[in-house]
Amino acid sequence: MNVSALLAELRERDIRLEADGLVLHVDAPAGAVTEELRAVLREHRRALIRHLERERKRLEEADRRGLVIKFSRERGYVSLHDPTTGEWHEVAISDCPPWVLEDARAHRRRREERR
C-alpha cells in the first residue's frame, strides 16, 4: 500500500497522524488502533513522516501565498489558488461572480506593471 492511500484510509477512519521530528503521533478513537495497524504504522513510519512533512510544508506555502485569482492560460477560465489545500482550480469565467473577475484583472495589471 502506498503512503497516500494509507493516509487517506486512516483519515476516513478518523485516525490522525502528526509528525514531530522522527516521532509519529497517532490520534485515534478508542479501539481504532489494532495490533495489525500498529505493525503497518511501524513498517511505514519513515515514509509517513516524510509525507506528512511534505504536506505540512505545502500547506504552509499555500497559507503564505493565500488566495490567488488570475486568468488561466486556457481561454475562458480563471485559475484559483486554494490557500487551505495549496491546489489550483480552473473555473469557467461564466461561473465566476464579478468580484473574482475583478481580482483576476487586478492580478493581470500587477503582473504587467512588474514587467
Side-chain angles (χ1 to χ4, degrees):
M1 172 180 289
N2 74 36
V3 175
S4 295
L6 176 58
L7 278 171
E9 181 183 323
L10 293 172
R11 288 171 177 156
E12 284 178 15
R13 294 168 47 189
D14 201 29
I15 298 171
R16 305 288 178 232
L17 301 180
E18 184 179 321
D20 182 14
L22 297 177
V23 177
L24 188 63
H25 296 283
V26 180
D27 180 23
V33 181
T34 63
E35 284 305 316
E36 180 183 338
L37 179 56
R38 285 183 209 283
V40 169
L41 293 175
R42 272 193 301 274
E43 178 184 349
H44 297 287
R45 183 178 66 85
R46 287 184 181 192
L48 285 165
I49 289 171
R50 280 193 306 269
H51 187 89
L52 291 168
E53 283 299 315
R54 281 193 305 271
E55 270 187 356
R56 183 186 58 76
K57 287 178 183 176
R58 184 182 52 122
L59 291 174
E60 284 175 357
E61 172 61 22
D63 187 45
R64 183 194 64 74
R65 179 178 274 184
L67 174 65
V68 177
I69 301 171
K70 64 181 184 177
F71 287 107
S72 175
R73 291 182 179 165
E74 180 80 25
R75 192 166 188 82
Y77 285 85
V78 171
S79 294
L80 302 171
H81 177 260
D82 183 345
T84 61
T85 64
E87 296 173 349
W88 285 90
H89 304 279
E90 300 290 314
V91 180
I93 287 176
S94 60
D95 294 337
C96 294
W99 69 268
V100 168
L101 298 178
E102 291 169 15
D103 279 6
R105 288 185 193 102
H107 184 272
R108 179 188 289 160
R109 280 192 301 274
R110 286 190 303 273
R111 192 180 72 224
E112 289 171 354
E113 288 171 358
R114 287 191 297 246
R115 291 182 185 175

